[in-house]
């Protein structure tokens, strides 16, 4: 298809304007076909950027530039007209100035390259909850990743019609080529981090990205569209765009419920989405591992779709033990970025579950090193980058639920929030009400190590709703949006249809620093308790902080004593008093008068109950 054959006048003009600005050598409208995918890989292999993997059919390894290995949060901008609308947790730039700067950078940026125009659907094509985006990019690596992560092609243009709504997503790796020049094995990008831009214009629902070819900076359907821009759309249109997994859980009586869960990075969200239950007779299946879009149905229930079509997962730490189903999902047709390359032509990473075969291995920077005999991570000597990734089609997951592509979505019975907390926060806690649940989401936090961020070891980084880097507007307004949706449902007499809200913590430690809860498949015991709570089973005690499991309501996993279970499921009054003052003084205070008053009321009410 040629640009002048595009039926949508707005799309055609947008593409033509950008062709004039970016001056690519040629333009291709992507059709999402296997032929197109294979052609992109030929280009990438001959440019020395992709290595075919002997051990995995139709799978390839890429090594990015060391400047281009993760989301560039400091270069991610929320460019709303009013600075106040971006809020204290986002980087703001004036949209007129930012567009001027970036238009200057985009000028001639695709010289010597092909411009690819990727029409994609986030969510099953044509679903009422789905949205269409079109990404302009000069990166064939982006094209193949978008093929896996979204639904690409002509069917999307058909749904878009002549005047449908789409989110324009501009992307360039910022590396024009001179005549005769080739990438020659060097990952093309702007190596100066300060010159990378990942910009969002929430008032006009646009994305402009420049200088990075990696992950969330470049695959614009994911964090940029499906979270930052979608959160603004959801605010304006009355729905929810959340950083949540979606799972299906079936009990031994074959009853089914769906649950959506938000956990900050490094808390095992993908593992939870693909969990293998240890609890007999229970089954967990996956709908999505990262993002949920949810709209109320006429029946008052909240229906969720996974807007994505693949997994873009962190590789290190993924093993048959930590995530059996992820390991099965990446056996073929997968893309690996910044992993190690073994002598026998396979990928390898730290904590993959086995040492590397052979004598030598190529690390993520392309250097040959002795093959590690164990899979332990050695600081500063990593074979795979800590944020090395796999991209795999969701339908390769052995436990993908049959309804994962249902255009009407699945009805959500429960929300789960959680974080990595060594103390205070119990194993599981159900909110007393919707408002209390929003309060729980708003104080979500996770402990970090000093090495990871410039913060005191063990201190809590608050990551409300796990949306801190992903909310496209002021987080105080975002909390209010959640409150408003709950109030509307209650005012309409549909409050009982709202999902129940829970807070979990798999990461409590004892005085010696050992984890008290085994996690992984044993988390099914907690999911089962939540399942029964959704059916109003009498398995809880009412406490100052919420509804906690009754003694014996969660059967202890092997090796966990009754005393430990009771500690995991009780109120740490002193710890909670500290938590409350930390939230009031260091967290809520940041949001000024946009922090909804009812959340302060909730804080006061918990404090009062703790003191009584
Ligand atoms: C992700 C993230 O890549 O949350 O999913 O950073
Ligand atoms: Mn994520």
């Amino acid at each position: 298809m040629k640009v002048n054959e595009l039926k949508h006048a707005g799309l055609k003009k947008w593409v033509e304007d950008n062709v004039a600005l970016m001056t690519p050598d040629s333009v291709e409208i992507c059709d999402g076909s296997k032929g197109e995918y294979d052609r992109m890989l030929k280009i990438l292999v001959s440019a020395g950027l992709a290595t075919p993997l002997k051990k995995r059919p139709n799978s390839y390894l890429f090594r990015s530039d060391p400047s281009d290995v993760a989301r560039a949060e400091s270069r991610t901008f929320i460019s709303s007209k009013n600075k106040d609308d971006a809020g204290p947790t986002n980087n703001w730039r004036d949209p007129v100035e930012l567009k001027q700067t970036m238009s200057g950078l985009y000028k001639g940026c695709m010289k010597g390259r092909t411009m690819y125009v990727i029409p994609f659907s986030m969510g099953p094509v044509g679903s009422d909850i789905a949205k269409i985006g079109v990404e302009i990019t000069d990166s064939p690596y982006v094209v193949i990743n978008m093929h896996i992560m979204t639904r690409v092609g002509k069917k999307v243009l058909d749904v878009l019609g002549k005047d449908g709504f789409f989110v324009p997503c501009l992307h360039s790796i910022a590396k024009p080529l001179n005549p005769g020049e080739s990438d020659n094995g060097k990952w093309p990008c702007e190596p100066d981090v300060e010159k990378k831009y990942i910009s969002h214009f929430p008032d006009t629902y646009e994305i402009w990205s420049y200088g990075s070819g990696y992950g969330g900076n470049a695959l614009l359907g994911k964090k940029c569209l499906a979270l930052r821009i979608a959160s603004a759309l959801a605010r304006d249109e009355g729905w929810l765009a959340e950083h949540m997994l979606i799972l299906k859980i079936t009990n031994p009586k074959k009853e089914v419920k769906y649950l959506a869960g938000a956990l900050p990075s490094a808390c095992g969200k993908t593992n939870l989405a693909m969990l293998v239950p240890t609890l007999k007779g229970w089954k967990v299946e996956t709908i999505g591992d990262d993002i949920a879009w949810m709209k109320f149905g006429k029946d008052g229930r909240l229906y969720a779709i996974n807007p994505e079509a693949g997994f873009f997962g962190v590789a290190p730490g993924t093993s048959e033990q930590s995530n059996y189903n992820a390991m099965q999902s990446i056996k073929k047709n997968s893309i690996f970025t910044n992993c190690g390359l073994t002598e026998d032509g396979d990928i390898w990473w730290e904590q993959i579950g086995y040492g590397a075969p052979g004598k030598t291995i190529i690390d993520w920077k392309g250097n040959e090193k002795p093959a590690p005999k164990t899979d332990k991570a050695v600081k500063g000597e990593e074979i795979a980058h800590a944020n090395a990734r796999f991209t795999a089609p969701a339908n390769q997951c052995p436990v993908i639920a049959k309804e994962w592509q249902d255009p009407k979505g699945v009805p959500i019975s429960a929300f789960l929030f959680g974080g990595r907390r060594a103390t205070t926060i119990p194993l599981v806690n159900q909110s007393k009400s919707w408002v209390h649940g929003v309060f729980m989401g708003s104080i979500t936090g996770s402990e970090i190590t000093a090495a990871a961020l410039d913060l005191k070891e063990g201190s809590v980084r608050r990551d409300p709703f796990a949306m801190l880097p992903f909310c496209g507007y002021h987080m105080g307004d975002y909390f209010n949006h959640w409150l408003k949706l709950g109030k509307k449902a209650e005012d309409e007499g549909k409050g009982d249809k709202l999902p129940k809200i829970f807070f979990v913590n798999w990461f409590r430690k004892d005085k010696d620093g050992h984890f008290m809860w085994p996690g992984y498949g044993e988390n099914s015991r907690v999911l089962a308790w939540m399942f029964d709570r959704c059916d109003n089973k009498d398995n809880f005690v009412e406490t100052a902080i919420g509804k906690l499991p009754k003694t014996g309501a969660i059967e202890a996993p092997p090796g966990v004593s009754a005393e430990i279970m009771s500690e995991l499921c009780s109120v740490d009054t002193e710890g909670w008093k500290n938590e409350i003052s930390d939230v009031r003084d260091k967290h809520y205070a940041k949001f000024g008068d946009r922090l909804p008053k009812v959340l302060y009321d909730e804080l006061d009410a918990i404090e009062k109950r703790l003191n009584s």
Side-chain angles (χ1 to χ4, degrees), residues 530-606:
M530 291 167 47
F531 187 107
D532 290 342
R533 276 284 54 244
C534 291
D535 288 336
N536 291 316
K537 202 167 156 187
D538 177 22
N539 58 357
F540 72 101
V541 281
E542 199 72 65
T543 74
I545 58 166
K547 297 180 196 321
L548 298 184
K550 233 185 197 166
T551 306
I554 297 181
E555 195 199 325
V560 178
S561 67
E563 292 72 44
I564 290 181
M565 281 309 289
S566 126
E567 195 178 337
L568 286 170
C569 299
S570 56
V571 183
D572 168 4
T573 305
E574 283 317 302
W576 268 96
K577 285 184 188 168
N578 292 335
E579 183 79 6
I580 295 289
S581 50
D582 186 72
V583 167
R584 185 183 282 121
D585 301 342
K586 301 213 190 89
H587 179 46
Y588 275 4
K590 285 199 293 275
F591 300 103
D593 59 8
R594 294 223 196 181
L595 198 285
K597 184 177 169 302
V598 290
L599 294 182
Y600 274 118
D601 294 344
E602 205 58 43
L603 199 68
D604 294 342
I606 296 173

Side-chain angles (χ1 to χ4, degrees), residues 71 222-223 243 265 269 290 312 314 387 389 470:
R71 285 186 288 100
K222 194 175 180 62
K223 302 301 185 182
H243 189 205
S265 299
K269 195 145 121 277
D290 196 38
F312 183 65
V314 176
N387 191 39
R389 297 277 178 154
F470 305 122

